[in-house]
Amino acid sequence: MEAGGKMLTECHFKLNSSMQTSFWWDHWLDNLVLAVDFCSIFKISSFKDGMVRDFISESGTGPSWNFSFTRNLKEDEIPILATFLHKIGTPPPLSLEEDAISWPHNQNGLSVKSVYDFLSSPLHHNSYPSTFIWKSHMPLKICFFM
């Protein structure tokens, strides 16, 4: 896994308004990328760039998920859809606050230093090329392009 992917798996998304968090691409649900983990459902989804809020309908009985597909489901896709709906559960409660990302490796929140420390720690040292970038024998002007 690349360094950026490792960083994202460490972030925790807190949904409030659900208007800034991508339904399919952000790690808002158990660090899953729904577009990858449920790719067959994603492929037939009519709305691939929607935020979480775009998939929630408000009604007198409360919020519910609202999905539309480019075609009817095939028989073998119905169990996958059932697993998908079970995994996402009920829609999150909505508020007027903005969505937030928390970074558990620094009590003050996300910072460049805390991400660098995380990625260059012995646990992740092999995946982050810190010595290649910071201790290279190449001229500095060239290092910036690497």
Side-chain angles (χ1 to χ4, degrees), residues 65-115:
W65 293 114
N66 184 16
F67 298 101
S68 61
F69 301 110
T70 57
R71 60 172 173 77
N72 291 332
L73 292 172
K74 295 178 183 173
E75 190 172 327
D76 61 330
E77 293 170 328
I78 294 172
I80 298 168
L81 179 64
T83 303
F84 171 73
L85 292 172
H86 178 73
K87 186 67 180 173
I88 63 174
T90 58
L94 302 176
S95 73
L96 298 177
E97 291 182 50
E98 288 189 359
D99 296 346
I101 299 175
S102 65
W103 177 249
H105 302 286
N106 185 357
Q107 64 184 12
N108 297 327
L110 188 64
S111 69
V112 173
K113 182 182 179 344
S114 67
V115 173

Side-chain angles (χ1 to χ4, degrees), residues 6-66:
K6 285 189 180 193
M7 188 194 105
L8 274 178
T9 59
E10 294 293 316
C11 291
H12 302 285
F13 285 79
K14 180 170 179 2
L15 298 179
N16 291 311
S17 69
S18 299
M19 295 176 72
Q20 293 88 21
T21 304
S22 172
F23 182 84
W24 292 108
W25 297 106
D26 285 337
H27 295 254
W28 64 273
L29 181 70
D30 297 339
N31 280 332
L32 296 176
V33 176
L34 294 175
V36 174
D37 294 317
F38 293 96
C39 61
S40 60
I41 302 298
F42 173 73
K43 286 178 184 177
I44 61 172
S45 173
S46 299
F47 200 32
K48 293 180 172 50
D49 295 323
M51 301 295 129
V52 174
R53 176 69 180 99
D54 298 330
F55 293 93
I56 299 174
S57 293
E58 294 286 341
S59 65
T61 60
S64 61
W65 293 114
N66 184 16

